[in-house]
Structures are given as C-alpha cells and as structure tokens.
Amino acid sequence: MRGRQASREARRAREFEAFVAGAAGRLLHAATLLTAEARNDNPRARRLLTLSLAHTYAGWDRLRGEDPYDRARRYLATRFAREVWQRRGGFGRPRHRPAGPLAALAPQERLIVVLRLYEGVAEEQAAALLGLTPERVRAVCDRAVALLLHPPSAPVPAPTRAWGAVSEG
C-alpha cells in the first residue's frame, strides 16, 4: 500500500514539475505585468507566482481534466485583485511609482489588459472571473489600450510673468 502511494506521489511531483517548467515563465511575465514592476526587480510578481503555483499544486489531484495553466492564471489574477483591493481599498491609482511597461495603467486596467490581450482570455470569461459585465471589461480594455497608445502629454506649467510685466486689469 505504501509503495502505491509513494508511486502516486512521485508521479504527481513529476507531472507538476513538468507543468512548472513549461508554464512558470509565462505566468511570471503575466504577474510582472500585473504588478507593473521592472522585469529584473519583481518581488511582488514572484510572490504572486509562488502563491499561484502552490495553490495549483494543492489542488493537482482534483483537476480532473481541467487545464492547470488556466487554474494557475485564474488564481494569479484573483489574488492580485484581492491584494490591490485590501491594500488600497479599491482599484485606485497605486501609491508607488511602478516601472513596468503597463505602469501608466491603474491596477484594474492592467488586470484586464493582461487577461484579454496577453493571455487571450475571452471577454465573457474575464468578466466572470472579475465579477464585471462583458461591456465593462470591453470599455476598460479599450480605455487602457487607448491610454497606452496615446499617453497624455505632460501637464504644461502655468506661464510665469516676466519681471516688470504690467498686469492688465
């Protein structure tokens, strides 16, 4: 009996190691995009990845035909959303200055852009995952893409008066 259980555990470990070898790089990149950290300095993204992989491993035997990558990605997205909500009380602008390519976006915009455009998740699936309507997901994604393609110009400083200028009035 112990031999069979040890064999099952060894098989489970090999399957999971193969999954991690194939999926960890893409999941880490998705997490780095979500956290808007620099590619080489991404402790929050690595933490998200570790939690996601641990959650996937814990439920490995219960997958029963479900895609483990999909499970890990869903957990990554929901964990990110929950942490942002708890830390900032919502999806407002972050307090720190992120350095990643999606740094100009708010956390919710980053989450939707990563799910829709980087991961290729359908609108309906992203909406169900985030508890939003598909129309809201589409609107946020469109707004975020427009912001990335056409970033607002830096605010122009107010003109200062030259010394000795006479005011009108």
Side-chain angles (χ1 to χ4, degrees):
M1 190 72 164
R2 285 185 184 241
R4 194 177 319 161
Q5 184 177 2
S7 169
R8 192 175 320 131
E9 289 296 321
R11 180 181 46 80
R12 177 182 187 215
R14 280 193 312 273
E15 288 174 354
F16 185 73
E17 286 172 8
F19 163 70
V20 170
R26 186 170 173 92
L27 286 169
L28 178 60
H29 189 66
T32 303
L33 289 172
L34 287 174
T35 59
E37 294 174 307
R39 192 174 55 139
N40 298 330
D41 184 25
N42 53 3
R44 288 182 55 220
R46 290 180 183 281
R47 182 176 172 277
L48 272 174
L49 174 65
T50 302
L51 292 170
S52 178
L53 292 175
H55 178 79
T56 303
Y57 184 72
W60 192 259
D61 292 334
R62 295 183 306 270
L63 286 175
R64 292 190 177 82
E66 184 183 347
D67 182 13
Y69 185 84
D70 186 47
R71 164 89 56 103
R73 178 184 57 218
R74 276 196 327 259
Y75 187 81
L76 189 80
T78 55
R79 182 69 188 218
F80 171 76
R82 186 172 38 244
E83 285 181 3
V84 167
W85 190 263
Q86 290 172 346
R87 187 174 305 131
R88 297 186 183 90
F91 276 118
R93 295 280 173 190
R95 291 186 193 126
H96 68 287
R97 289 301 326 149
L102 302 181
L105 303 179
Q108 183 183 42
E109 294 168 334
R110 283 196 311 263
L111 181 56
I112 289 173
V113 165
V114 169
L115 286 174
R116 291 282 298 125
L117 303 180
Y118 180 70
E119 289 292 327
V121 175
E123 263 177 22
E124 294 77 18
Q125 288 176 315
L129 178 66
L130 302 174
L132 301 171
T133 64
E135 293 78 20
R136 176 74 178 146
V137 169
R138 184 179 316 113
V140 170
C141 189
D142 290 348
R143 181 181 65 229
V145 168
L147 183 62
L148 289 172
L149 293 175
H150 309 288
S153 58
V156 178
T160 58
R161 284 203 251 168
W163 286 99
V166 178
S167 64
E168 297 176 25

